Amino acid sequence: MNAASKGILATPDQDAIEERALQMLRAPAFKKQVEITHKVYLADPEAAKPGGAATLENAVQEIAFAAALVGVNTEPSHPKIGWVYNAPRKWRGRSVPGSRWGVDNPDNVYRIAPVDGASSYEVKVQRHGAGCVQFSFLIYSHFVGEDGHFGDVDKPQGGLRSDEIQWNGDGSFTLTIDPNPANGRPNHIQTAGDTKQLLIRNSMSDWSKERPLGMAIKRIGGPAAAPPEDDGALALRCAKFLDALTQINLAWKKQSLFGHWQDNVLCQPYGRGRKWGFAASGNFDLAEDEALVVTIDPLDALYIGYSLTDLWIASLDHVDQQSSLNIAQARKNADGTFTYVIAAKDPGFDNWLDTGGLRQGSMLYRWQELPSQPEKADGAVKSVAVVKLKDLDSALGGCAHFITPAERARVIERRIAEYKLRYESA
């Protein structure tokens, strides 16, 4: 264990959130909503596709646990910072289900905390090691998907990005959150009367060195604290959030992120909220003997990441298989571009994105931390083509760089070890 990482994610608050969320999985009101979500997914056209049927059950269980993690941590009088939307794991003496949904990024650590517009909060933040390549603190008037808020995840009420933070000399800073203007205070976010949630994203490229920021939140002023909700009320709240996540997830899949595109293309990059960067989405549908070859201009971004999801837009296994590649993991072409091969079986190409045997799924490319944020990123997707595996060598041309099965095994072994560094604090 690296002492410098102790307590980054494995905090007492995280223990409390996970234990309470696990209890919610057994609550009758929540179990009923899980059954409803299962029926909604079964009725969706994606369920009739082989890729949708194969992943449906896991997708339901993971989005359910995501809703539970959010639902047990919604009281602004008693805020906790909770790590959410991540891969399943065994740590701290318990098995924690996955909570992947909504095109979660394998390179991100997502954390949330409840805040309101009447209270004052301090978030103490500490960098460990190399920190992370990009981070943000964003506030919203709702929890994701709540009360029909489907289209404004990239439209927060306010927030701060990593390039706006003033650090102390020891690698720390204090973030203040309250209803008052900054009035010269650094690292301040002003809330509105209907503010409900703080969303924190830490993006990491070099898994061997970069770590999420350590942080803790404290409510330092405001109205008299409300008493904590009992298990019955929490179960109903978690059920409400599961219904909301179910609806927004399917809406993203059908309407905004993926619904407009033909299979085996990436759309023109679109801008993310508060100059977070750009993203391009698409679906893949490949025959057993086919691969998708994609070439991308990185636009000089300090972070790029390409990740695959199932048809329910939950990330594929990105710990034990190479279903995602970021700028530190992928090999660059001689001209500065990146070429990737998406396939169900290992073609031997180093920048292979592993579908885990699935022939159908979705994908998202992300550009973040650009030196300057242009208005558009047209042309960043250089080419996308379906090719026969037997023709892969010629299709790759000068980009061809193959590795042996033994080399691939070492890459995966290193990937597993580096990902688990996030758990060091257990």
Side-chain angles (χ1 to χ4, degrees):
M1 180 186 300
N2 180 349
S5 296
K6 188 173 180 60
I8 297 178
L9 297 174
T11 65
D13 281 353
Q14 186 67 29
D15 287 338
I17 290 167
E18 288 179 356
E19 290 291 353
R20 205 79 186 270
L22 289 169
Q23 291 175 17
M24 293 299 103
L25 298 184
R26 300 187 292 271
F30 189 67
K31 290 172 67 176
K32 181 178 179 180
Q33 183 59 51
V34 175
E35 293 173 1
I36 293 171
T37 292
H38 193 272
K39 291 178 181 178
V40 170
Y41 272 39
L42 277 174
D44 191 272
E46 302 289 19
K49 300 176 182 179
T55 54
L56 186 150
E57 185 62 38
N58 184 71
V60 170
Q61 296 304 317
E62 294 219 14
I63 200 170
F65 194 60
L69 288 170
V70 174
V72 300
N73 185 29
T74 58
E75 300 175 68
S77 296
H78 310 278
K80 297 180 177 66
I81 291 178
W83 180 28
V84 295
Y85 315 150
N86 44 58
R89 64 191 180 279
K90 295 183 183 295
W91 79 331
R92 301 177 69 76
R94 59 182 174 270
S95 294
V96 182
S99 51
R100 296 169 291 178
W101 77 284
V103 208
D104 54 290
N105 185 352
D107 296 315
N108 277 2
V109 166
Y110 300 94
R111 284 171 282 188
I112 63 170
V115 295
D116 63 28
S119 303
S120 300
Y121 304 88
E122 281 187 347
V123 181
K124 298 289 187 179
V125 182
Q126 179 68 54
R127 182 173 57 221
H128 295 273
C132 49
V133 67
Q134 187 186 45
F135 62 86
S136 66
F137 297 85
L138 304 175
I139 58 168
Y140 294 86
S141 63
H142 55 277
F143 293 90
V144 63
E146 183 184 22
D147 298 329
H149 288 277
F150 291 173
D152 53 358
V153 174
D154 273 340
K155 299 176 183 177
Q157 290 181 320
L160 291 171
R161 296 188 316 273
S162 42
D163 59 353
E164 299 173 305
I165 293 296
Q166 294 185 28
W167 292 84
N168 298 323
D170 61 355
S172 71
F173 66 87
T174 298
L175 176 73
T176 56
I177 304 171
D178 64 42
N180 301 311
N183 290 330
R185 288 180 290 172
N187 310 328
H188 178 71
I189 300 175
Q190 183 178 5
T191 55
D194 57 353
T195 298
K196 283 189 176 181
Q197 179 184 239
L198 172 67
L199 170 65
I200 306 155
R201 284 184 292 197
N202 288 185
S203 298
M204 297 173 290
S205 291
D206 188 339
W207 294 1
S208 70
K209 298 178 181 178
E210 295 175 23
R211 297 290 182 273
L213 301 173
M215 59 187 68
I217 190 170
K218 182 179 181 181
R219 182 175 182 261
I220 58 174
E229 292 185 311
D230 61 27
D231 285 352
L234 282 180
L236 291 173
R237 185 184 297 276
C238 290
K240 175 185 175 183
F241 283 129
L242 177 53
D243 177 58
L245 294 192
T246 301
Q247 299 305 321
I248 192 173
N249 200 58
L250 295 181
W252 285 348
K253 175 62 182 175
K254 296 176 184 178
Q255 299 167 18
S256 56
L257 289 178
F258 301 93
H260 302 302
W261 324 126
Q262 296 178 341
D263 289 334
N264 302 321
V265 301
L266 275 174
C267 70
Q268 284 285 358
Y270 49 86
R272 305 294 303 277
R274 289 191 64 83
K275 297 185 177 181
W276 184 248
F278 293 95
S281 53
N283 303 303
F284 63 87
D285 191 340
L286 301 167
E288 188 173 354
D289 64 342
E290 291 179 334
L292 192 66
V293 179
V294 181
T295 298
I296 301 289
D297 184 338
L299 302 177
D300 294 323
L302 297 182
Y303 170 88
I304 56 171
Y306 200 2
S307 60
L308 304 183
T309 77
D310 60 27
L311 282 176
W312 311 104
I313 57 175
S315 65
L316 300 183
D317 178 1
H318 48 259
V319 182
D320 300 312
Q321 68 185 48
Q322 190 172 279
S323 67
S324 71
L325 285 169
N326 63 40
I327 195 169
Q329 298 166 335
R331 182 188 55 82
K332 184 182 292 188
N333 297 326
D335 64 358
T337 63
F338 287 83
T339 296
Y340 309 84
V341 172
I342 297 171
K345 295 180 180 179
D346 189 351
F349 184 65
D350 56 352
N351 289 353
W352 170 48
L353 288 173
D354 184 359
T355 72
L358 296 173
R359 289 168 47 191
Q360 298 161 322
S362 297
M363 52 191 174
L364 192 73
Y365 204 96
R366 297 170 170 92
W367 297 258
Q368 295 172 200
E369 201 69 4
L370 283 77
S372 61
Q373 179 79 6
E375 291 298 318
K376 294 183 179 181
D378 295 349
V381 179
K382 307 296 290 184
S383 63
V384 182
V386 177
V387 302
K388 296 294 184 181
L389 289 172
K390 63 182 179 63
D391 300 326
L392 190 58
D393 284 13
S394 58
L396 289 170
C399 301
H401 189 273
F402 292 91
I403 63 176
T404 67
E407 289 172 322
R408 179 76 73 198
R410 288 193 290 272
V411 168
I412 299 302
E413 182 179 4
R414 183 169 64 249
R415 181 184 184 92
I416 293 169
E418 290 178 354
Y419 189 91
K420 290 183 177 178
L421 292 174
R422 305 182 195 194
Y423 307 155
E424 282 193 327
S425 48

